[in-house]
Amino acid sequence: MNGSRAGARMPRSGALLLAGALAAGTVVAGAGTGAAAGPCAGSGPLPRVCAQPGDLIDVRLGELHPTQAVLGFDQVFYKLGRYGSDRDEAAGGVNKRFDDWCETNGQEKAAAAGPGARLDDPSSFSCTVPVGQETAGTIAPMKTAVVGPGGKLYLTDGHHTLTSFLEGPDGSADLRVRLRVTDNFSSLSVPAFWQRMTEQKKVWLRDEDDRPLGVERLPDRLGITHFRDDPYRSLVYFTRDIGYEVPDGATEFLEFSWGSWLRGEHDVSAYDLTAPGPYLDLVKGASKSMAALDADAVVDDGRTAAQLGRIDAWNGGKKETGGEFAKLGRPLSDPKPGKLAEALDHKARVVASPACTRTVTGPRNGPLTVASGVTCLDRAAQRGPVVVRPGAALVVTGSTLDGPLQADRAAAVHLCGSRVEGPVSVGRTTGPVRVGGPGCTANTVTGPVVLTGNAGGVLLAANTVGGPLVCSGNRPGVDDTGRANRVGGPRTGQCAEL
């Protein structure tokens, strides 16, 4: 039903629409590319380096490189809560993720989505604007990317939305969407590329505490596990249309600029950000501070409150019991819950990792034995077997393990956004075992996965397993949270249906 994968035609001079059937990393030649010789000459599939500003390119989420190291996790949790709910359908509508996908794809919003519709099956839903009939108005909200050295794609807008797609009910690194190219810097060296990106403010080089960081600390791919959480970024999201409005022609990272300013005005650590009442109080105070600014007050990096969309009157001039503020605060029991309630409901499903007592980053060679405490492998490249002894805990995030992982009677095992080249065996764990699931990006395991006799609950969601999947005696069971695992071998026991 969705026309986004066939029958494309130019929406305007110089814009290229890329069919999903094309191999990743290619574009189609068309008017206005400026390509006259070399690899960009001729017609048919062309390298990414041939893409020009204004071109619309079809991409896999897994090939995108972030230009920021932090997200507002609560914003993503709101989207995931909404995407995983059936409230929209129960009200006679279409699930929000289809509206968001169509808007991101330059096709306005969803027109229809049949029973069982999925984002990874474009034939199961349709958008109101067919491919080839896009307008400047439908293209404007599209997420954007810059072509870098080697034709790599660097996402400059849409980190929250695309991460939500990837972590959603039908998401994966293979999910496809279109982006609008704003610049092609592929001819630059890597150092010159990052200098240009920095000069043109197309990269956000601050961490979750607003401290400067280098480009080497940027994540190499999407997925919530690969980012840090900045609560001020979430706060700004919830103040939208209450304390500020996104202005026309908004610059990249606008919300981060507001977040930097709010750090000097409000201390988020003084509020319980798991409870709706205190969170709403924080949003009210922050949004009123934003709205009270003079239009020419400098907020961040030379940009004024007016340039960053400061609202003329708090909450659109309405009382607390009306307007966007009242909508934000609607409880989960309301027929149309507020964003805050949806976010906190999903947030409550995230199993927290234990605090690290030892952290391993970067390359490490040789066997690793976790005998006590909590060992965290964070963006590590572990070459050698990993063994977790009784009472110890292991947290693996955004890492590669070249060798087997074995845990017996551990306190906890968390495996998120990582790749294991070998088998995984986890048994008799007293605490949680988390291999994917809410707040934990899915993993790839090339060998078998064996989960037996774990007593603290097992989450096993959306992973790719190359060998057999064996589960038995886990209490209270094994939960895939509605996101099926892809398994290359037989599935047995409690995992027979996962």
Side-chain angles (χ1 to χ4, degrees):
M1 292 166 60
N2 195 313
S4 65
R5 297 296 184 259
R9 64 181 176 85
M10 298 291 176
R12 67 191 192 284
S13 176
L16 307 181
L17 298 177
L18 311 181
L22 295 177
T26 61
V27 301
V28 175
T33 64
C40 299
S43 59
L46 298 175
R48 288 275 195 241
V49 295
C50 300
Q52 297 296 302
D55 289 352
L56 311 184
I57 59 175
D58 181 274
V59 303
R60 291 175 53 255
L61 295 185
E63 66 179 302
L64 299 174
H65 297 267
T67 53
Q68 62 191 54
V70 297
L71 293 174
F73 280 11
D74 289 347
Q75 177 178 344
V76 176
F77 292 157
Y78 156 65
K79 288 180 177 289
L80 291 176
R82 186 80 177 269
Y83 293 175
S85 169
D86 61 359
R87 291 188 183 90
D88 294 330
E89 294 92 332
V94 172
N95 188 277
K96 179 176 170 56
R97 72 185 189 276
F98 297 106
D99 281 332
D100 287 355
W101 188 93
C102 289
E103 179 182 77
T104 299
N105 219 50
Q107 298 179 258
E108 198 170 55
K109 61 182 180 180
R118 296 175 55 89
L119 289 183
D120 55 5
D121 179 9
S123 67
S124 66
F125 65 98
S126 62
C127 303
T128 56
V129 176
V131 162
Q133 296 183 26
E134 297 87 350
T135 66
T138 65
I139 289 171
M142 292 182 70
K143 310 309 180 186
T144 55
V146 170
V147 183
K152 289 184 177 180
L153 290 176
Y154 291 85
L155 186 67
T156 54
D157 179 48
H159 293 79
H160 290 80
T161 295
L162 299 194
T163 294
S164 301
F165 288 164
L166 188 147
E167 303 285 359
D170 34 25
S172 74
D174 292 326
L175 185 65
R176 306 192 74 89
V177 72
R178 290 190 306 174
L179 301 177
R180 176 169 53 87
V181 175
T182 61
D183 301 274
N184 187 328
F185 298 149
S186 61
S187 63
L188 299 178
S189 67
V190 172
F193 168 75
W194 285 116
Q195 181 178 353
R196 180 76 61 84
M197 292 285 283
T198 302
E199 290 172 348
Q200 297 193 8
K201 303 185 188 302
K202 294 183 179 294
V203 59
W204 184 259
L205 294 176
R206 301 186 202 174
D207 68 9
E208 67 272 25
D209 296 314
D210 209 33
R211 298 172 301 196
L213 54 76
V215 296
E216 72 280 355
R217 290 178 57 193
L218 291 173
D220 62 355
R221 57 195 183 276
L222 294 176
I224 197 166
T225 293
H226 307 300
F227 293 88
R228 306 300 188 201
D229 180 27
D230 180 356
Y232 283 94
R233 177 59 180 79
S234 295
L235 173 60
V236 174
Y237 175 70
F238 292 126
T239 67
R240 185 177 296 178
D241 296 325
I242 302 171
Y244 86 105
E245 299 170 312
V246 178
D248 292 337
T251 59
E252 290 91 350
F253 314 113
L254 176 149
E255 288 87 357
F256 281 114
S257 290
W258 275 119
S260 294
W261 179 81
L262 282 171
R263 289 174 191 275
E265 304 293 322
H266 299 271
D267 180 7
V268 298
S269 67
Y271 296 82
D272 181 358
L273 300 186
T274 65
Y279 210 141
L280 200 60
D281 288 342
L282 175 61
V283 172
K284 181 170 68 173
S287 58
K288 286 191 171 183
S289 296
M290 297 161 76
L293 278 172
D294 290 336
D296 57 357
V298 175
V299 173
D300 181 62
D301 199 24
R303 287 178 287 192
T304 67
Q307 290 172 324
L308 294 178
R310 184 219 63 174
I311 203 165
D312 289 334
W314 182 78
N315 196 32
K318 297 179 174 63
K319 296 180 180 180
E320 293 182 15
T321 53
E324 292 301 317
F325 185 77
K327 292 179 183 178
L328 179 69
R330 289 173 180 164
L332 200 64
S333 57
D334 192 277
K336 294 184 177 180
K339 291 180 179 179
L340 196 55
E342 297 266 23
L344 296 183
D345 180 59
H346 188 85
K347 188 177 188 175
R349 305 175 197 174
V350 176
V351 177
S353 299
C356 307
T357 58
R358 176 192 182 193
T359 301
V360 177
T361 61
R364 185 189 183 281
N365 297 319
L368 173 62
T369 299
V370 183
S372 62
V374 180
T375 293
C376 295
L377 274 64
D378 183 18
R379 300 191 192 181
Q382 164 65 25
R383 299 181 182 90
V386 177
V387 176
V388 187
R389 298 296 189 198
L394 178 69
V395 179
V396 183
T397 54
S399 298
T400 58
L401 277 61
D402 190 358
L405 166 60
Q406 181 180 12
D408 182 44
R409 290 177 289 170
V413 175
H414 297 253
L415 185 63
C416 301
S418 298
R419 181 180 181 89
V420 181
E421 295 283 350
V424 171
S425 176
V426 181
R428 299 188 290 180
T429 308
T430 57
V433 174
R434 183 169 63 146
V435 186
C440 177
T441 302
N443 307 274
T444 297
V445 179
T446 62
V449 173
V450 180
L451 305 171
T452 57
N454 298 291
V458 176
L459 287 174
L460 183 72
N463 303 285
T464 299
V465 178
L469 177 59
V470 180
C471 307
S472 65
N474 300 289
R475 302 189 305 275
V478 181
D479 185 4
D480 68 359
T481 69
R483 302 184 68 205
N485 298 274
R486 291 185 285 184
V487 181
R491 313 174 193 220
T492 60
Q494 293 169 306
C495 291
E497 303 301 323
L498 296 184

